[in-house]
Amino acid sequence: PAAEAAAWFLKLARSAEGRAARGALWAAALADSASPARDFMAYAQDRNRPWSARRTAMQLAGATGDASLVPELERMARAAGPEPVRERKDEGDLAKGAVDALATIPADAGLDALVRLAADAPRPVVRGAALFHAAQSGDARGVRLARETAERESEPDELRKSATFALLNREDVSDADRAWARALLPKATARSMRDVILMGLAQHGTD
């Protein structure tokens, strides 16, 4: 039965390393006819497992889960506890993985949480990921937050570039988006920011 196959692959993932662990997690997701999302969440929070596999597990939790996972994923995206340097780096990657998982929950169930994280997540890398997904969704709140972040000179350069990239690399970029980007271009003092704007405009046409 599919559930037994999923359980076997999850057991394998708990003892495997690296690519083998990630492959077993994907196999569990494909094998189970019922949602294994909670098992993936438990795996993702096991600090004895490789960080890359834990991040894969979180992404699969989102893809196979539902709205009930949103509070826990948002908490993980905001987590910034005192840990050794190596684990803090691990936790940073996992926090971004939690944002990516929120973006994959069916029926846009994670969108409200993404908007909140885009506004006030404690780490710029997490805010940037949330801004990207919120703006890419086309949700008016995400688009507004991305514009405000890109325009605010007090924000970190990488965050402003992430917001601009997200806005100008959507499938439904509008005339209003292009007009906004053209108005922002003369105000952009950093060359890297200007490059992001120019590339976005060139991709969709500047007329």
Side-chain angles (χ1 to χ4, degrees):
E4 291 181 9
W8 186 86
F9 282 120
L10 282 165
K11 182 178 180 180
L12 176 61
R14 293 186 185 101
S15 60
E17 299 290 335
R19 183 178 298 176
R22 297 193 298 275
L25 289 167
W26 276 102
L30 295 171
D32 200 358
S33 56
S35 173
R38 286 291 171 188
D39 292 321
F40 289 138
M41 288 294 289
Y43 186 101
Q45 295 175 81
D46 182 355
R47 293 187 177 179
N48 292 317
R49 305 310 307 139
W51 74 263
S52 58
R54 292 168 64 195
R55 179 172 176 176
T56 295
M58 267 199 296
Q59 292 168 339
L60 290 172
T64 61
D66 56 29
S68 67
L69 297 182
V70 170
E72 193 168 3
L73 285 169
E74 184 172 1
R75 177 188 62 77
M76 293 172 75
R78 293 182 182 278
E83 300 176 80
V85 171
R86 181 184 61 81
E87 289 194 14
R88 269 209 308 270
K89 181 178 180 181
D90 179 9
E91 204 68 35
D93 287 329
L94 285 168
K96 185 175 178 296
V99 172
D100 294 338
L102 284 165
T104 65
I105 297 177
D108 287 335
L111 184 55
D112 288 348
L114 288 170
V115 171
R116 290 191 293 270
L117 290 164
D120 61 7
R123 295 176 178 152
V125 68
V126 175
R127 274 189 70 199
L131 275 168
F132 176 82
H133 291 301
Q136 285 274 302
S137 74
D139 181 85
R141 298 167 299 170
V143 171
R144 175 180 56 79
L145 277 170
R147 286 187 179 185
E148 291 174 354
T149 301
E151 294 168 359
R152 194 177 298 125
E153 294 183 1
S154 60
E155 298 282 11
D157 286 345
E158 287 302 315
L159 191 59
R160 296 179 71 198
K161 287 190 292 184
S162 292
T164 304
F165 181 87
L167 285 168
L168 296 180
N169 285 272
R170 307 194 327 266
E171 292 183 1
D172 59 345
V173 172
S174 66
D175 289 342
D177 293 322
R178 288 188 285 270
W180 168 82
R182 287 194 294 270
L184 182 63
L185 183 59
K187 304 173 187 176
T189 55
R191 179 174 179 177
S192 57
M193 180 69 168
R194 292 176 61 86
D195 287 346
V196 171
I197 297 171
L198 289 169
M199 285 190 291
L201 287 171
Q203 178 175 336
H204 297 283
T206 57
D207 294 335

